[in-house]
């Protein structure tokens, strides 16, 4: 009987890509992927610990898997950021777990599978990265890591602990991976890193803007995206690359976290409100129709109503198209835990509600402004809600569901006339 595996992934795109890499390595070892955990001889949880809630989910899931293990005898491995954070302690807490493997060891699955290591939570200097063994989920899109880890040490954030110090991949390796992805039919490339724009080639010091241009110029890359940029790392070279290449998406996720300079200083975000807005202005001058999105934390220790009002006024001013907001969640070992008076949960909840109400109105107005326009859309597949329609994204990253010839090849670029704006998405009909 061939070995089978089931993998469940929580969290960010980097975790999704880590799961694709683990799945690729397992296939090379002869494992077959299954969609039902009851059919698996190996069950992997690739976990997230960015907020306390995500971490709790992992432990309650492990409780369920304990029962399943009794029935089927499957091996259980915990990967990702909870694995890194808890290490040995995770096995003490859940002794039915067979191994724990952190993000630094994704390229080294063999060691845990062969039983050489039960707890693999170091960050080896030379990390294995098999670019041909990635089980890419989409036929049209490929994620490509360019930098791992984070050196920023924001006072609220667990990422530097769970993903280690920044390590950029060599320029040539990134280009080789993009070429291999394009050769396999992936026309959309998304470059990934916790602070993607801090990229520096370890051999030549070439920066993120230079890499962005080089990737955009590879034949067959129809659309190029990247995630997540840090506002303090935006520079002229990055802005010029975005302005000079029509295939680089006019969408930029630029987490601000708060609109109050006082809170930003205590978060150690390395910019003020004014500096952040100035950065956005520079980008808008080069790429006038850019769609900005952001992340915001409400209820950071010591956040006053006045600080929060400044966050609301910043949202009004920037008019973000998309926004992800979270209540502050204390993370073990991070300095924010000791930084100021905790904000009562009811107050933080109320702030989050008010923030979403404001953003709903802005998003609605923005989506409505697309009515009647014909936009280039990259076809990704059938629409989730109505399989008779196709679905894709605009150059500035809005999802569009549209009527078109169902035989349209995935990955094509079509002109779509926008007829309607729904809650989060646009709707239309292909004109080409
Ligand atoms: N590296 C990116 C950055 O900081 O610019 C994003 C990393 S994180 C995966 C995504 C978002 O989670 C952050 O931008 C932040 O808004 C949120 N986040 C991180 N730590 C948090 C915490 N302790 N409580 C609440 N939200 C948090």
């Amino acid at each position: 009987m061939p070995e089978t595996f089931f993998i469940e992934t929580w969290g960010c795109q980097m975790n999704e890509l880590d799961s694709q890499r683990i799945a690729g390595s397992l296939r090379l070892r002869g494992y077959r992927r299954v969609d039902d955990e009851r059919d698996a001889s190996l069950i992997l949880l690739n976990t997230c610990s960015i907020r306390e809630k995500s971490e709790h989910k992992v432990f309650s899931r492990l409780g369920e898997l304990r029962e399943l293990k009794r029935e089927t005898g499957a091996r259980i491995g915990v990967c990702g950021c909870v694995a890194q954070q808890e290490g040995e302690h995770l096995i003490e807490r859940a002794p039915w777990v067979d191994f724990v493997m952190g993000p630094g060891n994704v390229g080294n699955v063999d060691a845990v599978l062969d039983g050489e290591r039960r707890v693999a939570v170091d960050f080896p200097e030379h990390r294995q990265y098999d670019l041909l063994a990635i089980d890419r989920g989409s036929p049209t899109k490929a994620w490509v890591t360019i930098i791992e880890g984070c050196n920023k040490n924001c006072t609220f954030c667990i990422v530097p602990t769970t993903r280690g110090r920044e390590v950029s991949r060599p320029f040539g390796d990134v280009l080789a991976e993009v070429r291999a992805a394009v050769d396999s039919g992936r026309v959309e490339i998304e470059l990934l890193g916790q602070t993607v724009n801090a990229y520096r080639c370890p051999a030549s010091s070439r920066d993120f803007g230079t890499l962005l241009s080089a990737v955009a110029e590879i034949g067959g890359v129809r659309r190029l995206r990247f995630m997540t940029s840090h506002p303090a790392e935006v520079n002229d070279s990055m802005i010029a690359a975005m302005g000079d290449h029509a295939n680089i998406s006019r969408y930029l996720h630029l987490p601000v976290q708060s609109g109050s300079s006082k809170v930003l200083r205590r978060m150690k975000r390395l910019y003020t409100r004014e500096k952040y807005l100035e950065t956005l202005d520079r980008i808008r001058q080069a790429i006038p129709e850019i769609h900005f999105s952001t992340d915001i934390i409400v209820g950071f220790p010591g956040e006053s109503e006045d600080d929060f009002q400044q966050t609301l006024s910043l949202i009004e001013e920037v008019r973000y198209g998309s926004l992800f907001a979270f209540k502050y969640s204390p993370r073990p070992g991070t300095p924010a835990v000791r930084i100021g008076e905790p904000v009562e949960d009811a107050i933080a909840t109320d702030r989050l509600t008010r923030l979403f109400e404001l953003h709903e109105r802005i998003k609605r107005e923005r989506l409505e402004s697309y009515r009647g326009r014909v936009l280039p859309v990259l076809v990704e597949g059938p629409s989730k809600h109505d399989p008779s329609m196709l679905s894709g994204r605009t150059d500035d990253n809005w999802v569009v569901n549209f009527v078109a010839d169902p035989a349209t090849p995935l990955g094509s670029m079509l002109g779509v006339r926008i007829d309607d704006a729904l809650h989060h998405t646009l709707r239309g009909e292909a004109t080409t």
Side-chain angles (χ1 to χ4, degrees):
M1 273 285 278
E3 298 263 27
T4 48
F5 73 99
F6 172 87
I7 187 163
E8 191 165 317
T9 311
W10 286 280
C12 62
Q13 286 96 333
M14 306 224 36
N15 261 15
E16 294 283 351
L17 176 57
D18 285 349
S19 287
Q20 294 181 358
R21 290 174 60 200
I22 294 169
S25 305
L26 290 171
R27 274 196 215 269
L28 282 185
R29 286 177 65 109
Y31 278 73
R32 184 169 57 83
R33 187 176 194 144
V34 291
D35 296 328
D36 186 335
E37 64 211 45
R38 283 167 302 195
D39 298 331
S41 57
L42 173 67
I43 298 177
L44 296 176
L45 302 184
N46 195 3
T47 61
C48 169
S49 64
I50 199 79
R51 283 169 289 276
E52 204 175 8
K53 224 189 211 163
S54 0
E55 199 184 307
H56 284 164
K57 276 196 221 152
V58 174
F59 284 98
S60 74
R61 188 73 177 99
L62 280 174
E64 292 165 13
L65 292 180
R66 179 188 205 173
E67 300 304 314
L68 185 68
K69 184 174 178 143
R70 283 204 189 107
E71 288 167 33
T72 67
R75 292 171 80 193
I76 298 175
V78 180
C79 315
C81 293
V82 175
Q84 186 66 36
Q85 188 188 302
E86 298 288 315
E88 190 82 46
H89 185 230
L90 197 144
I91 292 184
E92 284 161 21
R93 210 168 143 186
W96 58 96
V97 167
D98 292 275
F99 61 84
V100 176
M101 187 184 87
N105 279 279
V106 165
N108 209 4
V109 178
D110 289 342
V112 287
L113 288 181
D114 294 340
E116 286 164 31
R117 302 180 74 190
R118 196 170 176 206
V119 178
V121 291
D122 54 334
F123 289 100
E125 198 171 324
H126 298 292
R127 301 199 197 154
Q128 308 257 22
Y129 201 108
D130 187 348
L131 61 91
L132 296 177
I134 301 177
D135 209 359
R136 304 220 184 263
S138 154
T140 58
K141 175 174 172 171
W143 283 314
V144 175
T145 297
I146 64 166
I147 177 169
E148 297 187 42
C150 185
N151 289 358
K152 286 287 177 288
N153 294 313
C154 301
T155 54
F156 53 80
C157 192
I158 192 87
V159 167
T161 313
T162 57
R163 290 195 167 261
R165 304 281 299 163
E166 280 170 5
V167 182
S168 292
R169 288 177 68 203
F171 205 85
D173 288 12
V174 174
L175 298 192
E177 185 171 340
V178 173
R179 286 196 194 99
V182 171
D183 288 346
S184 69
R186 273 74 183 197
V187 294
E188 180 173 352
I189 303 294
E190 185 163 2
L191 305 179
L192 295 185
Q194 288 297 336
T195 304
V196 74
N197 55 340
Y199 176 84
R200 280 257 159 206
C201 170
S204 63
S205 290
R206 279 173 286 184
D207 71 356
F208 179 63
T210 313
L211 181 68
L212 210 49
S213 296
V215 174
E217 285 159 23
I218 291 177
V221 175
R222 288 209 184 118
R223 184 165 288 160
L224 174 57
R225 295 167 55 187
F226 49 93
M227 179 84 93
T228 299
S229 302
H230 190 289
E233 296 282 354
V234 173
N235 63 13
D236 290 345
S237 137
M238 168 180 165
I239 299 175
M242 292 175 72
D244 289 348
H245 296 90
N247 57 348
I248 300 184
S249 176
R250 282 177 299 128
Y251 167 80
L252 186 59
H253 184 64
L254 210 52
V256 67
Q257 313 299 359
S258 169
S260 151
S261 294
K262 193 179 92 200
V263 174
L264 289 171
R265 192 175 61 247
R266 288 194 291 114
M267 287 178 163
K268 213 163 151 256
R269 285 294 288 180
L270 310 177
Y271 51 85
T272 57
R273 173 195 176 97
E274 292 68 32
K275 184 80 193 146
Y276 179 86
L277 288 170
E278 197 187 297
T279 302
L280 263 55
D281 271 352
R282 276 163 59 211
I283 300 169
R284 274 201 175 118
Q285 272 167 28
I287 311 133
E289 286 213 36
I290 190 136
H291 166 185
F292 287 115
S293 71
T294 203
D295 292 341
I296 287 176
I297 296 178
V298 300
F300 186 75
E303 181 192 67
S304 65
E305 176 61 25
D306 179 57
D307 293 321
F308 176 65
Q309 287 297 335
Q310 292 184 50
T311 298
L312 295 183
S313 77
L314 182 104
I315 295 171
E316 278 277 16
E317 190 167 340
V318 177
R319 296 181 58 76
Y320 295 104
S322 325
L323 181 155
F324 306 87
F326 317 93
K327 274 195 281 184
Y328 168 70
S329 167
R331 304 288 52 226
T334 55
V337 174
R338 307 181 301 269
I339 245 168
E341 268 301 292
V343 172
E344 265 178 51
D345 189 57
I347 295 180
T349 304
D350 174 62
R351 287 182 186 162
L352 200 59
T353 309
R354 285 191 280 154
L355 186 149
F356 282 133
E357 276 168 11
L358 167 66
H359 184 249
E360 273 306 305
R361 173 175 63 69
I362 293 170
K363 188 174 66 184
R364 184 80 261 127
E365 289 166 7
R366 287 195 59 131
L367 282 166
E368 286 293 339
S369 73
Y370 286 87
R371 263 182 209 273
R373 289 176 62 184
V374 176
L375 304 172
V377 171
L378 188 88
V379 182
E380 289 180 11
S383 154
K384 276 193 208 128
H385 300 297
D386 179 354
S388 72
M389 295 176 99
L390 292 179
S391 183
R393 275 169 202 265
T394 63
D395 167 35
D396 57 352
N397 206 31
W398 292 105
V399 173
V400 187
N401 294 305
F402 56 98
V403 178
D405 178 354
T408 309
L410 303 186
S412 351
M413 195 74 88
L414 291 184
V416 174
R417 189 192 58 247
I418 305 301
D419 298 324
D420 208 356
L422 306 184
H423 196 55
H424 299 292
T425 58
L426 299 166
R427 195 177 272 251
E429 186 167 348
T431 60
T432 50

